[in-house]
């Protein structure tokens, strides 16, 4: 059983400056809820109740968000506003939250390794909160879909999506044997390839389930693209042994790390979730 989920949240969010000068990018609200809360809700829906954050300097607001604010509670007690804090208070009440710091920003692989003390030697999920995933109406979330796949294969699982050829350079890109039902057994993966070097147009989006042998692979992974230790490079070592499954998920994904994706997400959530009370 997987019960743990890691949220690497140490990144600077420079694309959103000046908004992210003094505020973590994961706290940017899509309508009235911060990105990181959507992500934690998705994990909890997937049955993951041990929530770990790899944070960094200037990210304290995330810890405060997943804690009781007694002053505020006292202020709004007895008013209709109490309802607005119900969901986050439920998360706090029924799940465990732990935080560790990534002292040096050396990439996503390094962030995952920094979370080892929180995740332990167990399979665990990794969620990048700036990829906002919204399930189709009546369907389960992307992470819940991936937990089912992990339970079937007991291998690392990455979520993928087809992207236009001129966008592959923004992603980790996989190639693999098509097993049907949106599943691929990965045999190659490249982080941020140039269009002409990409093994396909199947891009990894920010949802992973990792088996604990990933740690030793990360330790053995030299700095890659951008001088950073890439999770994609470490996963390639697992893939060479046949144990990485890529999954074309059901649902919508918004790249909230970009202004366009963020605005799109805001419009979609407002029309389809917020106004309909979903
Ligand atoms: C990271 C990963 C990349 C993945 C992407 C998904 O890149 O390194 O493989 O495709 O997330 O959002 P980043 O967007 O942090 O540069």
């Amino acid at each position: 059983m997987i019960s743990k989920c890691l949220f690497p949240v140490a990144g600077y969010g420079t694309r959103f400056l000046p908004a992210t000068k003094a505020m973590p990018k994961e706290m940017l609200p899509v309508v009235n809820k911060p990105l990181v809360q959507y992500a934690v809700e998705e994990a909890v829906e997937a049955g993951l109740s041990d929530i770990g954050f790899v944070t960094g300097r200037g990210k304290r607001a995330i810890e405060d968000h997943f804690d009781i604010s007694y002053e505020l509670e006292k202020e709004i007690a007895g008013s209709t506003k109490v309802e607005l804090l119900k969901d986050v208070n439920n998360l706090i009440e029924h799940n465990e939250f732990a935080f560790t710091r990534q002292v040096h920003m050396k990439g996503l692989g390094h962030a995952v390794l920094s979370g080892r003390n929180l995740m332990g030697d167990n399979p665990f999920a990794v969620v990048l909160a700036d990829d906002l995933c919204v399930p189709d109406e009546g369907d389960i979330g992307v992470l819940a879909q991936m937990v089912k796949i992990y339970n079937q294969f007991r291998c690392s699982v990455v979520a993928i999506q087809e992207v236009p050829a001129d966008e592959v350079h923004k992603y980790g890109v996989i190639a693999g044997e098509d097993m049907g039902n949106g599943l691929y057994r990965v045999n190659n993966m490249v982080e941020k390839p140039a269009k002409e070097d990409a093994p396909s147009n199947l891009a990894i989006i920010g949802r992973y389930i990792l088996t604990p042998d990933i740690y030793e692979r990360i330790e053995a992974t030299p700095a890659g693209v951008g001088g950073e230790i890439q999770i994609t490079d470490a996963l390639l070592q697992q893939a060479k042994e046949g144990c990485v499954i890529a999954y074309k998920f059901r649902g919508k994904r918004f790249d909230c790390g970009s202004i366009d994706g963020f605005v799109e997400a805001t419009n979609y959530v407002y029309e389809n979730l917020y106004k309909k009370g979903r």
Side-chain angles (χ1 to χ4, degrees):
M1 283 289 284
I2 306 189
S3 65
K4 293 174 186 283
C5 188
L6 190 70
F7 295 82
V9 294
Y12 292 121
T14 46
R15 267 184 281 179
F16 279 88
L17 285 171
T20 48
K21 186 180 171 203
M23 181 177 84
K25 62 172 174 166
E26 296 79 8
M27 290 301 294
L28 289 169
V30 171
V31 187
N32 61 344
K33 200 196 289 187
L35 275 171
V36 69
Q37 188 179 329
Y38 289 94
V40 169
E41 286 175 352
E42 185 185 330
V44 168
E45 186 225 353
L48 314 179
S49 55
D50 291 332
I51 306 295
F53 291 89
V54 177
T55 73
R57 290 173 289 279
K59 297 281 180 161
R60 214 169 285 163
I62 297 174
E63 290 181 52
D64 290 340
H65 189 71
F66 294 106
D67 193 359
I68 303 287
S69 170
Y70 286 103
E71 238 178 73
L72 185 61
E73 297 276 347
K74 193 163 167 257
E75 201 61 34
I76 65 175
S79 83
T80 51
K81 303 271 169 59
V82 171
E83 183 66 18
L84 299 175
L85 283 183
K86 197 184 77 197
D87 288 349
V88 70
N89 280 346
N90 265 332
L91 289 177
I92 297 165
E93 201 61 45
H94 297 111
N95 301 283
E96 298 292 331
F97 292 84
F99 300 84
T100 192
R101 279 203 181 200
Q102 185 182 10
V103 178
H104 304 288
M105 308 299 170
K106 292 195 214 159
L108 183 55
H110 178 258
V112 169
L113 192 58
S114 307
R116 184 176 192 169
N117 59 338
L118 301 182
M119 297 293 103
D121 286 339
N122 308 288
F124 60 100
V126 175
V127 173
L128 307 183
D130 50 16
D131 276 328
L132 174 63
C133 291
V134 182
D136 298 330
E137 201 169 348
D139 200 357
I140 57 174
V142 174
L143 220 45
Q145 295 168 37
M146 291 171 73
V147 166
K148 286 189 175 181
I149 290 158
Y150 170 77
N151 288 338
Q152 190 184 343
F153 292 94
R154 305 269 150 191
C155 286
S156 289
V157 184
V158 297
I160 52 165
Q161 185 178 49
E162 282 185 42
V163 298
D166 57 2
E167 285 184 26
V168 288
H169 67 278
K170 296 185 197 163
Y171 298 95
V173 178
I174 69 114
E177 170 207 338
D178 189 344
M179 299 191 289
N181 296 325
L183 297 173
Y184 296 78
R185 193 173 289 277
V186 178
N187 51 36
N188 194 13
M189 45 207 314
V190 186
E191 179 68 12
K192 303 201 170 71
K195 193 173 171 176
E196 48 285 0
D197 300 332
S200 76
N201 68 337
L202 298 171
I204 301 170
I205 63 115
R207 301 290 183 278
Y208 305 79
I209 291 178
L210 302 175
T211 52
D213 57 306
I214 197 70
Y215 299 123
E216 58 205 65
R217 318 280 182 163
I218 298 171
E219 280 166 343
T221 298
V225 171
E228 296 189 333
I229 298 171
Q230 300 292 349
I231 195 67
T232 306
D233 296 340
L235 275 162
L236 176 60
Q237 301 313 312
Q238 291 184 332
K240 282 181 180 162
E241 288 164 21
C243 215
V244 177
I245 305 293
Y247 169 58
K248 234 188 231 178
F249 59 93
R250 303 183 303 271
K252 288 207 159 34
R253 170 256 177 183
F254 299 95
D255 173 15
C256 290
S258 75
I259 303 277
D260 288 348
F262 186 85
V263 172
E264 236 178 87
T266 302
N267 290 331
Y268 183 86
V269 170
Y270 180 66
E271 290 298 336
N272 296 283
L273 306 187
Y274 183 78
K275 269 167 87 175
K276 293 183 184 166
R278 249 175 91 194

